[in-house]
Amino acid sequence: MPSAPAPSSPAPSAGPAPQSERVLVLDFGSQYAQLIARRVREQNVYCEIVRHDITADRIRELDPKGIILSGGPASVYEAGAPQCDPGIFRLGIPVLGICYGMQLVCKALGGTVGQAQAREYGRASCDVLTADSLFAGVPRTTEVWMSHGDQVDRVSADFVPLASTPTCPLAAVKHATLPVFGLQFHPEVTHTPAGGTMLANFLTAVCGCSGSWRLEDFAARTIDEVRRRVGPDRVICGLSGGVDSAVVAALLSRAIGDQLSCILVDNGLLRKNEAAAVIDEFTTHFQSDLHVVPAEARFLDVLAGVTEPQEKRRRIGRTFIDCFADEAAKITGARFLAQGTLYPDVIESGAAPDGPAATIKLHHNVGGLPEDLQFELIEPLRDLFKDEVRALGLQLGLPERIVWRHPFPGPGLAVRCIGEVTKPRLNTLRQADAIVLEELERAGLMRKVSQAFAVLLPVQSVGVMGDARTYDDVLAVRAVETEDFMTADWSHLPYDLLARISSRVINEVRGVNRVVYDISSKPPATIEWE
């Protein structure tokens, strides 16, 4: 995992920006729309995400330097598939279509789109045919990240091919007379190594952006916004043991001081010793008004017999809010509920406000809230990615042991305990998970590995211990490396480390006789198993 950005490099925030540096991202439901915007901001160019159906007239009013059309989960020929105003291609404003966006561009300007011979997800070798301005400084053969089922079959005579792959002859194109470009692959993800160069070329050489925009201090601006919104009322912040909720609590503590009450719902789904660590951190380091709710039995009751992951999340979300409501009733003036929702949570739950993102998961902090919620939500990290949250935590003075804690899902170990969630299975998983993290720490790999954990499978296998036959559980180990958690590669952990983890788990954790290692990337897999 790359080191966190220095505190002097604040996380991005929406706000006033020079019109001359504005770039718009039209969101067609891509999981990567916010990532595109973030990559643009990294080039010191202000960027906003807007709906895909924004009109050409409205774009003319905004007067952006460039337009980027995101990818999306639909097919351009599907009934009801998101479209764009074709007038945007005649505004004279540079346009870059990515994946679905490229297909829309080519279709609107005389080309055809059809199903690829095979759906393509993952890395591909790309040959640059023309060292056009978009590909200046890019190797003639470069690796790119594909994620598509359709592709452009044919372009009009007005288009010039720029790059190809073995399965995609038109991997990149440009219009001969209009400032319109298309890329079938995703330059915004880290798995396209030269993607940053391509985006920088589009922004500077094509759009003429100067790169003069500088990110404002996100912490200071958010603190002001929270103070204005909260006024004299009280905010409740849920603590889960993860870095996201810790950063939210620190931010709110800075903003409103003793108007903040933190609630830790000890749901029995936390990591080993997690509750005790949170209590220590937020009574000694932060000296906050901390309420601890012992709720293990309550959560286990609602999860009894449930195996479907989305239903687990729904039940955990409802019970979590119920526990909050019960405890909040004891706190005078509690009006707001603060949550550590990040942008990957928002888009994977289909809750992105600017476009029709496909729902992948229900997160209890964005997808499972009841309609009669008694609190107004405050989600100050909603537009940030994990590495930006860590940078913000350092700005706020959080210790590194908190900032670099590995991510933990809102539903806790329930979504790492595949199948039915019971106290004995949770105890088995908790003990094994602690061994995984202990061995990573001893190997000095906690920073390199972005997220690591154990998953208890609903599968038993035959084993031999001593002279006896066993028929016990299988445990999977998951470790990934990523910058933004939108895409991830499995970590190539040393064999001797994997051997130590396996040996310790099998010897120390009763009921486990086999350990397997997950070598799936995201996409197509997700980081969590459920």
Side-chain angles (χ1 to χ4, degrees):
M1 175 92 181
S3 59
S8 59
S9 300
S13 58
Q19 293 279 345
S20 61
E21 292 294 317
R22 188 193 307 268
V23 168
L24 301 180
V25 174
L26 274 59
D27 183 6
F28 292 88
S30 172
Q31 294 178 58
Y32 302 139
Q34 184 78 358
L35 185 53
I36 296 170
R38 180 163 163 260
R39 295 297 186 228
V40 173
R41 289 181 177 184
E42 287 174 356
Q43 301 291 333
N44 295 320
V45 175
Y46 181 72
C47 188
E48 294 178 355
I49 296 177
V50 296
R51 288 187 58 87
H52 62 85
D53 54 3
I54 187 171
T55 65
D57 288 341
R58 176 57 180 156
I59 290 177
R60 187 183 292 108
E61 291 175 7
L62 294 173
D63 191 26
K65 293 286 285 185
I67 301 167
I68 300 177
L69 310 186
S70 82
S75 168
V76 295
Y77 290 112
E78 284 179 1
Q83 304 292 323
C84 64
D85 183 344
I88 67 175
F89 305 126
R90 305 292 179 180
L91 292 174
I93 300 171
V95 174
L96 173 63
I98 296 175
C99 196
Y100 181 87
M102 170 182 170
Q103 295 163 19
L104 281 177
V105 167
C106 293
K107 178 174 176 287
L109 296 176
T112 60
V113 177
Q115 283 192 338
Q117 290 185 349
R119 294 162 67 89
E120 192 171 20
Y121 297 97
R123 290 180 173 86
S125 178
C126 180
D127 293 326
V128 176
L129 306 177
T130 304
D132 185 87
S133 53
L134 202 63
F135 288 93
V138 175
R140 299 290 295 190
T141 299
T142 186
E143 195 172 75
V144 298
W145 186 263
M146 291 287 194
S147 180
H148 66 98
D150 295 344
Q151 64 186 35
V152 175
D153 289 329
R154 181 185 61 80
V155 290
S156 71
D158 294 323
F159 277 91
V160 178
L162 298 179
S164 67
T165 73
T167 59
C168 185
L170 298 170
V173 298
K174 68 165 290 187
H175 198 277
T177 57
L178 300 174
V180 175
F181 296 77
L183 299 175
Q184 181 58 68
F185 53 86
H186 290 270
E188 70 274 20
V189 302
T190 56
H191 300 319
T192 300
T197 301
M198 298 173 200
L199 287 174
N201 287 338
F202 176 71
L203 296 169
T204 56
V206 179
C207 299
C209 295
S210 64
S212 58
W213 181 72
R214 294 294 179 267
L215 299 175
E216 297 182 29
D217 184 0
F218 178 89
R221 296 192 59 214
T222 304
I223 285 169
D224 288 341
E225 291 169 3
V226 168
R227 283 174 180 160
R228 286 196 300 270
R229 183 178 175 192
V230 171
D233 294 310
R234 180 165 290 275
V235 178
I236 296 173
C237 178
L239 293 175
S240 66
V243 62
D244 306 336
S245 63
V247 171
V248 169
L251 190 68
L252 293 173
S253 180
R254 185 78 62 86
I256 58 175
D258 59 9
Q259 292 172 248
L260 173 67
S261 291
C262 294
I263 295 179
L264 170 64
V265 177
D266 188 358
N267 56 14
L269 306 174
L270 301 178
R271 289 173 285 202
K272 186 177 180 180
N273 300 325
E274 192 99 75
V278 172
I279 292 169
D280 178 66
E281 288 163 2
F282 286 90
T283 54
T284 59
H285 184 80
F286 289 104
Q287 299 180 345
S288 62
D289 176 33
L290 177 62
H291 300 244
V292 180
V293 181
E296 179 185 43
R298 190 170 177 177
F299 277 82
L300 289 177
D301 283 346
V302 301
L303 289 170
V306 178
T307 60
E308 205 280 319
Q310 300 290 59
E311 184 60 24
K312 285 182 185 179
R313 291 174 180 273
R314 289 187 186 95
R315 293 190 181 205
I316 291 169
R318 288 195 295 266
T319 307
F320 175 80
I321 293 299
D322 288 344
C323 289
F324 252 83
D326 292 344
E327 191 62 26
K330 307 170 187 177
I331 302 172
T332 304
R335 178 184 168 193
F336 297 93
L337 171 62
Q339 298 188 137
T341 306
L342 305 192
Y343 192 74
D345 300 334
V346 173
I347 57 180
E348 288 195 346
S349 65
D354 295 303
T359 299
I360 297 172
K361 298 177 183 175
L362 287 177
H363 294 261
H364 84 264
N365 55 344
V366 290
L369 297 176
E371 294 181 1
D372 60 348
L373 181 68
Q374 298 301 309
F375 306 108
E376 292 183 37
L377 285 179
I378 292 179
E379 297 175 311
L381 310 182
R382 188 179 176 90
D383 293 325
L384 302 186
F385 290 82
K386 183 68 70 175
D387 58 331
E388 296 168 329
V389 172
R390 286 197 167 110
L392 179 59
L394 294 175
Q395 289 180 21
L396 294 169
L398 284 170
E400 289 197 0
R401 62 186 173 84
I402 296 178
V403 170
W404 286 101
R405 183 179 289 151
H406 280 193
F408 192 57
L413 295 179
V415 292
R416 295 177 179 174
C417 187
I418 312 302
E420 185 175 7
V421 179
T422 65
K423 186 169 183 176
R425 296 193 78 218
L426 287 170
N427 288 339
T428 297
L429 175 57
R430 191 176 287 114
Q431 188 179 354
D433 185 73
I435 289 172
V436 172
L437 296 179
E438 286 169 11
E439 289 299 329
L440 274 178
E441 185 71 47
R442 288 176 183 172
L445 294 175
M446 286 295 284
R447 292 284 189 93
K448 182 177 186 294
V449 174
S450 308
Q451 187 171 1
F453 53 90
V455 182
L456 186 63
L457 306 184
V459 175
Q460 287 75 47
S461 72
V462 174
V464 178
M465 290 189 178
D467 293 324
R469 174 187 183 275
T470 63
Y471 192 62
D472 289 330
D473 289 332
V474 177
L475 186 96
V477 175
R478 177 74 156 147
V480 299
E481 295 175 24
T482 176
E483 280 190 8
D484 45 53
F485 289 83
M486 296 302 302
T487 61
D489 260 343
W490 60 278
S491 296
H492 293 238
L493 297 180
Y495 288 161
D496 59 345
L497 171 59
L498 291 172
R500 286 196 303 273
I501 290 173
S502 176
S503 178
R504 283 195 61 192
V505 168
I506 292 172
N507 288 326
E508 298 176 28
V509 182
R510 185 176 296 276
V512 175
N513 69 355
R514 191 178 300 270
V515 175
V516 298
Y517 189 51
D518 182 349
I519 58 170
S520 309
S521 63
K522 175 186 179 181
T526 55
I527 295 175
E528 297 288 344
W529 277 46
E530 290 190 341

